[in-house]
Amino acid sequence: MGKTNGKEQINSVPISRFQIDPLLSAFDQDQTLLTPNHRSAKVIMQGYANKKKVGEVWSRPQVFAIDIWLQQLWAKLSINGIEPFCKLQILDSFSEQCVWTEQLKASAERYPLLNLQETAAAVSYSYHLYNQWFLFEKLKPGDTKYSQNFSAFLYWSQRYKSFLEKHELIGLSDAILILIPSLHELVRFLPSRMLLVNFNDPPPLYARLIGTLEDLLEVSYHTRNTPGISSKTKPDEWQPNLNSVKRLQFPNLDTEIRACVSYSLERVRVNENEHIGIIIDHEKEHDFLLWKEFNRQAGHRNGDLSPTKAQYFNTFSSIQSLADAKPIELALSFLELNQTRIETHKFCHLLQCHQFALGGEELSARISLELLLRNNFSSTTRLGHLQSVMQREGKPYYCPHLSILLTKFSELSRRSKDFLPLSAWAELFTRQLELIGWPRFKSEDYLQWQKSLYQLSRTSSIVGKLDITGALRQLRLLLYQTPRPIIFNDELQISLVSLDEALDFDFDSLWLISADDQRLPCSISPDTFLPLSIQQEYDMPRSSYKLQLKQANLILTRLQQDTHEFILSHHKYEGDLEIRPSPLSSSIALSPIADIGSTKNLANPLNPVEFEYIQEPLCLPLTSVIGTGGTSLLSNQSNCPFKAFATHRLGAQKLPNLQPGLDAMNRGSALHLALEKLSTKLNHQEKILESSAATRQKFIDESIEPAIEQMHKQHPDVMTPTFSNLERIRLSNLLNSFLEFELSRSPFLVQGTEQQITWDHSLLSLNFRVDRIDKLNDGSLVLIDYKSGKKSSYRWFDDRPDDLQLPLYQLAIGSDITHISGAFIYQVNIEKVTLAGATDKEDLHPDIKPLAQVRLFDGTWADLQERWNSIVIAMAAEFEKGLLAVAPARGNQTCQYCDLSSLCRINDQKNLLDEQDELTP
Ligand code: SF4
């Protein structure tokens, strides 16, 4: 059944992805077929299976990737007790990398490295190239003309070999080097006939192996022809067949992807047995972009790009690692609870999860626990501390069952020894996960997980005994290196392939995306550790432009063969950057986009997503008194009516981020408290003037202590003695700068601090505190609010100010006190201490301009008060009316400081408008 475009159909003829017919006689004669890689072997097997009738019983043909065949041969020789094969065990790739990592670690004093694992992977690759090109025969180790990198490589290689020798292990390329000269004596273990498929230009080591096999058995070849490649006039140059090859240019990648999907779906619709290839670049995330576009054009809203669920197309190399799979991520998060300190945000994810023993049990208590953790905990914590919190009976976050489960979980590791081999840790992890009820469903990812744990156990002898942190590190590394299993869906007609992968298949039509000068030919990326001159001399992979060009010509020549329509597309711009088309396609004239199948219908995709337009009410009036929200309720209303509605009527808020250490809010409120205490002690400018430096410092120190105590209460884990001292120094510096500023002001007396006010207006009853009220020499009062942030513009003179705090203060207090002469923000941070606000007074401070000198406002302090009062009343009325328009006062600038964009969906609205603009001629 084919279902790629939403219709269902019967495939009477299977989709032909590979011409299997030329190989059938080899199967009949029971020959062994070798391919250069697993992918080719799988494709051949699939093609062979397609030839068989439904229900027919057939034995598995002998088709192997050459490396697998060699390992099997080694195992056979070993079982038969033949030396040295029975003495040496071939390493799998992860074990090999562990050996390299250990050797790099042991030589850290001589060659210090920042990233051991990545370097180990790179050295391991270089080592195989070194063997495959027989460089040990060609390079003299003492030659000083080679770089430091190469001498480090030789040193590590020596250590690697010694380690393997000692532990009776061997890497694959070394194993081939041993096998080749021994094959003459091992003929009885070899098949009598062998067919090598698609071995084009193998590395010298494999070429020598194949040469030896040719001497001993009947070896034949199956290779695709490359007509045109050996043209006498221009050797190695691709000759595009202008009857089948077309070149398209698009303005950007989005339109290129859209056209490609539209074209592919149309071909699927027209011919249900065609094999359609799309050649992508994994590094540019083409697969993700294509999947999104297929979703859009096929009318699906919730697709799944997971390689275990082929939905629109088959892929052949997994872009995701096993660690990226959701169930595996969950298992790792559970196992990380074994660490002394755990990451609070990961624990919060576990609290939301249903996929373990508790399922949905205690869910609402778990949600309350998460909110508590996000509001009061720092980014890391101890499991024991969390358990003591969740055991608090009567609290909304009381989770007794979860606590018991976690106790049993930790007991399993507590009973183990501190240092164990990886095999023992793998067993413990399995038991812990079973206890926790993981996994709930046994998927392909789970089967791969089991294989990975087995592989982890096999590295025990290489890495020795580890503590639990080391064992988890090894496990994580292995899971990141293991690709997620890929499921092949035989019903799908579209294949997403890389340039190399494309060579394994036959296509009816082929579309190469991003055929630009970076990709065709690919830019060079020589090996890091081997001398570049040697790599170029021996034509080692990706070492020179000449080689890349030759490779690109070869690939294009092979691809155009047997493909009825071959499209090379590219786009002109990536952001502001102009992209050049591939020089290999310059001889092909640009085709008009409308000529290419259904791409002329780009504006009308096959299955467009139907939007349903719903007219929401513009207002939902307030029906009862609202007593929460303080001054922010009106400031939010002024910034964006929807923001105020969502925050104060719906109770929407962003989940607080868990940060390492103290966040800006903790620090700000600590400073606030210290300023309040200091202003109470030194409540008169004269008093500050008269006190000595030592007395001022004493007052500062005394004011800081309650702030430190407050932070300690909130974050006992963070506020260690050292950290507390650092905070003391920070606050002391700020308070000293603050006092200096106080001295530069005109005389004042602190009349009051933290004055509690309630403003009752219609259905609003807003409570807030005025940080400080100062009395000036003329008896008038100024209102002050402390701020530790760096915001400098509050738009007080706009119709919708950013901040209505000062306007509301003066209105609410003004009804009791009539002689207010100004309102200010007292900004105190490490960059500066200053006052900003509005007044008519000229001598308050050199930083403060009287309103008469302010360009943005034409009037006096009394005029401004009147204006502010009317704005505050208007915003209150708007809120009561329940206006819920998504209307940020200053567009993007307002949204930049708002966390509700996923709720108001202003970005969707903008995208929709942009799309409509794009489609409007
Ligand atoms: S993101 Fe912008 S439009 Fe959306 S609620 Fe916030 S301020 Fe309003």
Side-chain angles (χ1 to χ4, degrees):
M1 300 261 282
K3 288 193 277 184
T4 23
N5 61 349
K7 68 194 167 87
E8 300 206 351
Q9 58 211 0
I10 306 297
N11 279 343
S12 48
V13 183
I15 301 153
S16 167
R17 296 179 167 85
F18 179 80
Q19 283 179 18
I20 195 77
D21 292 350
L23 305 181
L24 289 179
S25 60
F27 289 127
D28 293 343
Q29 292 159 18
D30 212 15
Q31 287 191 42
T32 298
L33 267 74
L34 297 189
T35 64
N37 53 48
H38 299 279
R39 198 178 57 236
S40 308
K42 270 171 87 175
V43 171
I44 293 174
M45 285 296 292
Q46 190 65 46
Y48 183 73
N50 280 346
K51 278 277 165 191
K52 299 291 163 190
K53 294 194 188 88
V54 178
E56 187 181 348
V57 178
W58 44 278
S59 55
R60 187 196 186 281
Q62 301 293 302
V63 184
F64 305 102
I66 188 161
D67 288 346
I68 299 289
W69 179 76
L70 286 166
Q71 286 171 29
Q72 289 182 356
L73 175 64
W74 190 281
K76 200 192 286 179
L77 299 171
S78 175
I79 290 166
N80 282 277
I82 298 171
E83 287 195 18
F85 312 102
C86 60
K87 290 261 165 76
L88 296 170
Q89 188 195 329
I90 296 189
L91 286 171
D92 60 60
S93 61
F94 180 68
S95 305
E96 197 172 328
Q97 202 192 327
C98 288
V99 177
W100 282 110
T101 309
E102 290 304 307
Q103 302 322 305
L104 266 54
K105 210 193 291 174
S107 21
E109 237 173 67
R110 186 168 177 165
Y111 296 108
L113 292 168
L114 279 179
N115 190 330
L116 275 182
Q117 261 90 26
E118 269 181 31
T119 315
V123 181
S124 168
Y125 178 73
S126 304
Y127 184 78
H128 286 296
L129 285 183
Y130 183 74
N131 275 347
Q132 285 174 4
W133 264 261
F134 299 103
L135 295 190
F136 50 87
E137 290 173 359
K138 293 163 185 154
L139 299 176
K140 295 182 198 78
D143 203 329
T144 49
K145 72 181 182 200
Y146 301 129
S147 68
Q148 166 80 357
N149 270 359
F150 186 55
S151 54
F153 167 78
L154 290 176
Y155 178 76
W156 291 323
S157 303
Q158 201 46 52
R159 291 192 61 103
Y160 165 79
K161 279 185 170 167
S162 310
F163 181 93
L164 294 195
E165 216 174 293
K166 189 171 158 202
H167 291 82
E168 297 186 328
L169 297 164
I170 190 162
L172 183 62
S173 57
D174 283 317
I176 302 175
L177 284 168
I178 292 181
L179 256 176
I180 292 173
S182 317
L183 283 174
H184 292 88
E185 291 159 23
L186 303 168
V187 177
R188 65 187 190 283
F189 295 101
L190 302 176
S192 55
R193 297 179 72 187
M194 196 174 254
L195 177 65
L196 302 183
V197 184
N198 288 346
F199 276 85
N200 303 298
D201 215 5
L205 178 67
Y206 287 86
R208 193 179 287 183
L209 171 74
I210 292 168
T212 311
L213 289 172
E214 274 175 350
D215 292 343
L216 304 171
L217 353 153
E218 197 183 322
V219 176
S220 49
Y221 294 89
H222 172 81
T223 316
R224 289 188 175 190
N225 299 323
T226 53
I229 201 78
S230 51
S231 145
K232 278 189 188 128
T233 45
K234 291 181 180 167
D236 294 345
E237 195 167 304
W238 174 45
Q239 310 291 325
N241 175 354
L242 298 179
N243 291 325
S244 60
V245 180
K246 295 193 170 59
R247 179 162 76 95
L248 299 179
Q249 178 176 278
F250 295 88
N252 53 42
L253 181 59
D254 281 351
T255 43
E256 189 180 352
I257 295 275
R258 210 180 300 164
C260 174
V261 171
S262 177
Y263 167 85
S264 307
L265 285 174
E266 176 67 6
R267 295 216 54 135
V268 166
R269 192 177 65 77
V270 170
N271 191 332
E272 63 194 32
N273 299 110
E274 270 196 7
H275 184 212
I276 297 135
I278 304 177
I279 302 181
I280 58 163
D281 185 344
H282 288 299
E283 282 180 15
K284 292 195 170 162
E285 298 192 337
H286 286 159
D287 32 10
F288 175 67
L289 297 174
L290 283 160
W291 167 78
K292 250 174 63 180
E293 188 56 27
F294 271 111
N295 251 349
R296 196 181 79 84
Q297 295 198 24
H300 295 165
R301 301 294 286 170
N302 297 305
D304 185 350
L305 181 60
S306 154
T308 58
K309 289 194 180 123
Q311 194 181 5
Y312 304 111
F313 44 73
N314 285 306
T315 52
F316 301 89
S317 49
S318 185
I319 45 162
Q320 294 182 344
S321 73
L322 192 57
D324 294 325
K326 289 284 168 230
I328 307 298
E329 222 178 89
L330 181 67
L332 273 177
S333 297
F334 274 121
L335 293 178
E336 279 167 13
L337 297 178
N338 285 309
Q339 312 259 41
T340 323
R341 291 200 72 81
I342 59 175
E343 290 182 42
T344 319
H345 83 273
K346 284 197 180 169
F347 187 76
C348 287
H349 282 200
L350 296 181
L351 288 175
Q352 290 173 14
C353 169
H354 284 234
Q355 308 295 321
F356 73 112
L358 290 190
E361 210 179 323
E362 294 180 340
L363 189 58
S364 88
R366 272 155 45 192
I367 292 171
S368 301
L369 182 60
E370 173 167 0
L371 286 175
L372 178 87
L373 299 183
R374 286 188 180 274
N375 282 308
N376 298 289
F377 276 56
S378 71
S379 60
T380 63
T381 185
R382 283 172 296 108
L383 185 61
H385 186 194
L386 289 174
Q387 280 180 277
S388 68
V389 171
M390 67 180 84
Q391 282 162 1
R392 289 180 196 158
E393 224 170 310
K395 296 286 181 191
Y397 44 82
Y398 176 52
C399 305
H401 293 126
L402 178 62
S403 176
I404 292 169
L405 195 64
L406 292 175
T407 305
K408 288 183 186 164
F409 177 89
S410 339
E411 257 173 29
L412 282 176
S413 53
R414 218 174 294 135
R415 280 199 232 113
S416 322
K417 289 185 184 156
D418 289 346
F419 287 85
L420 289 171
L422 279 170
S423 51
W425 287 124
E427 259 176 51
L428 175 85
F429 294 157
T430 306
R431 271 189 287 136
Q432 284 187 313
L433 290 172
E434 273 169 13
L435 174 85
I436 219 96
W438 181 91
R440 283 202 115 177
F441 310 102
K442 299 204 168 152
S443 59
E444 293 291 328
D445 290 323
Y446 174 66
L447 297 178
Q448 190 62 44
W449 160 272
Q450 286 184 311
K451 285 183 200 161
S452 299
L453 275 193
Y454 173 68
Q455 208 176 348
L456 187 76
S457 304
R458 283 175 47 138
T459 55
S460 297
S461 61
I462 297 168
V463 295
K465 288 185 179 176
L466 295 174
D467 63 8
I468 199 159
T469 307
L472 280 168
R473 194 170 44 239
Q474 286 296 116
L475 174 63
R476 223 177 291 126
L477 182 68
L478 171 60
L479 297 174
Y480 275 108
Q481 285 182 6
T482 308
R484 272 188 91 178
I486 296 174
I487 297 298
F488 178 79
N489 183 345
D490 197 28
E491 296 166 1
L492 297 176
Q493 289 173 251
I494 302 169
S495 297
L496 257 57
V497 285
S498 67
L499 265 173
D500 287 343
E501 287 165 351
L503 295 176
D504 290 338
F505 297 94
D506 295 317
F507 300 99
D508 296 289
S509 71
L510 197 51
W511 185 311
L512 199 164
I513 294 174
S514 286
D516 54 48
D517 66 344
Q518 293 297 305
R519 196 161 178 223
L520 276 177
C522 271
S523 32
I524 65 164
S525 60
D527 183 76
T528 322
F529 292 99
L530 304 179
L532 179 61
S533 55
I534 295 292
Q535 293 185 55
Q536 291 176 337
E537 186 182 338
Y538 292 103
D539 280 348
M540 293 176 76
R542 297 181 294 279
S543 62
S544 69
Y545 181 77
K546 196 178 108 206
L547 200 68
Q548 296 297 79
L549 187 63
K550 183 179 165 193
Q551 183 72 8
N553 274 299
L554 197 80
I555 290 175
L556 289 174
T557 305
R558 290 209 184 112
L559 290 180
Q560 81 171 357
Q561 187 191 341
D562 301 329
T563 302
H564 301 140
E565 188 162 53
F566 184 15
I567 296 171
L568 287 102
S569 69
H570 52 90
H571 50 273
K572 215 168 166 205
Y573 293 102
E574 266 173 24
D576 292 336
L577 196 72
E578 189 164 350
I579 308 288
R580 283 188 301 257
S582 162
L584 300 182
S585 64
S586 56
S587 64
I588 312 166
L590 274 177
S591 295
I593 292 172
D595 281 5
I596 307 299
S598 71
T599 56
K600 59 179 176 277
N601 296 322
L602 287 184
N604 304 304
L606 283 179
N607 295 295
V609 175
E610 293 283 339
F611 283 103
E612 190 185 346
Y613 287 89
I614 299 169
Q615 183 61 52
E616 290 175 333
L618 284 177
C619 297
L620 284 174
L622 192 64
T623 51
S624 57
V625 173
I626 190 159
T628 53
T631 56
S632 68
L633 183 145
L634 294 180
S635 295
N636 286 340
Q637 185 70 31
S638 179
N639 274 296
C640 170
F642 184 83
K643 183 177 181 182
F645 185 87
T647 311
H648 304 283
R649 299 273 302 272
L650 304 181
Q653 58 163 306
K654 187 189 167 204
L655 274 182
N657 282 334
L658 287 154
Q659 291 188 356
L662 303 171
D663 61 19
M665 192 138 50
N666 301 140
R667 289 206 157 99
S669 75
L671 174 64
H672 222 88
L673 184 58
L675 285 170
E676 184 210 331
K677 299 289 175 204
L678 187 63
S679 302
T680 316
K681 289 175 201 294
L682 290 172
N683 63 346
H684 201 290
Q685 196 187 44
E686 257 174 49
K687 216 169 173 180
I688 308 173
L689 268 169
E690 284 163 6
S691 52
S692 66
T695 315
R696 276 186 222 161
Q697 189 58 49
K698 183 176 149 279
F699 281 131
I700 288 177
D701 292 345
E702 284 172 6
S703 307
I704 287 172
E705 278 323 298
I708 298 288
E709 221 169 274
Q710 175 182 291
M711 286 192 275
H712 195 270
K713 241 189 226 164
Q714 289 167 340
H715 293 283
D717 286 349
V718 178
M719 291 299 285
T720 56
T722 315
F723 204 88
S724 302
N725 279 339
L726 285 173
E727 275 303 304
R728 279 190 188 94
I729 296 169
R730 182 184 78 88
L731 289 170
S732 171
N733 288 340
L734 287 171
L735 295 196
N736 271 302
S737 308
F738 169 73
L739 285 187
E740 258 174 53
F741 191 89
E742 292 276 78
L743 287 173
S744 64
R745 291 174 52 189
S746 60
F748 64 85
L749 167 78
V750 179
Q751 169 101 2
T753 58
E754 297 292 309
Q755 186 166 331
Q756 176 77 45
I757 313 268
T758 302
W759 185 64
D760 289 311
H761 175 84
S762 188
L763 288 174
L764 299 185
S765 179
L766 305 181
N767 296 301
F768 44 90
R769 279 169 200 266
V770 179
D771 288 343
R772 177 168 151 181
I773 301 173
D774 282 5
K775 190 174 192 178
L776 307 181
N777 264 357
D778 63 0
S780 68
L781 301 177
V782 289
L783 309 176
I784 290 175
D785 190 67
Y786 293 127
K787 294 250 187 276
S788 53
K790 292 177 186 164
K791 183 171 173 159
S792 57
S793 166
Y794 295 87
R795 305 271 189 169
W796 282 309
F797 311 119
D798 283 14
D799 289 344
R800 298 186 83 99
D802 259 7
D803 193 315
L804 282 179
Q805 204 169 8
L806 297 185
L808 183 57
Y809 282 179
Q810 62 78 36
L811 171 65
I813 290 187
S815 51
D816 302 330
I817 310 167
T818 48
H819 46 297
I820 297 169
S821 58
F824 300 95
I825 296 291
Y826 214 141
Q827 202 171 43
V828 184
N829 60 54
I830 210 68
E831 273 176 22
K832 69 174 172 189
V833 175
T834 192
L835 276 171
T839 181
D840 283 339
K841 295 207 162 288
E842 294 188 349
D843 58 348
L844 269 181
H845 188 273
D847 282 4
I848 301 168
K849 274 191 203 168
L851 279 169
Q853 293 175 28
V854 172
R855 210 169 27 87
L856 294 170
F857 186 70
D858 185 14
T860 61
W861 166 244
D863 296 332
L864 182 63
Q865 280 187 291
E866 203 180 308
R867 179 175 165 73
W868 274 358
N869 292 351
S870 61
I871 291 174
V872 168
I873 301 292
M875 290 304 120
E878 235 184 63
F879 183 81
E880 267 194 53
K881 204 171 142 197
L883 184 69
L884 36 79
V886 176
R890 274 163 287 282
N892 288 346
Q893 210 185 323
T894 306
C895 297
Q896 199 183 340
Y897 301 104
C898 177
D899 299 318
L900 299 174
S901 58
S902 52
L903 188 63
C904 71
R905 298 195 297 171
I906 184 139
N907 296 328
D908 288 355
Q909 205 178 69
K910 279 186 205 148
N911 289 344
L912 208 61
L913 290 174
D914 288 349
E915 239 172 66
Q916 279 166 3
D917 282 352
E918 232 178 76
L919 296 176
T920 311

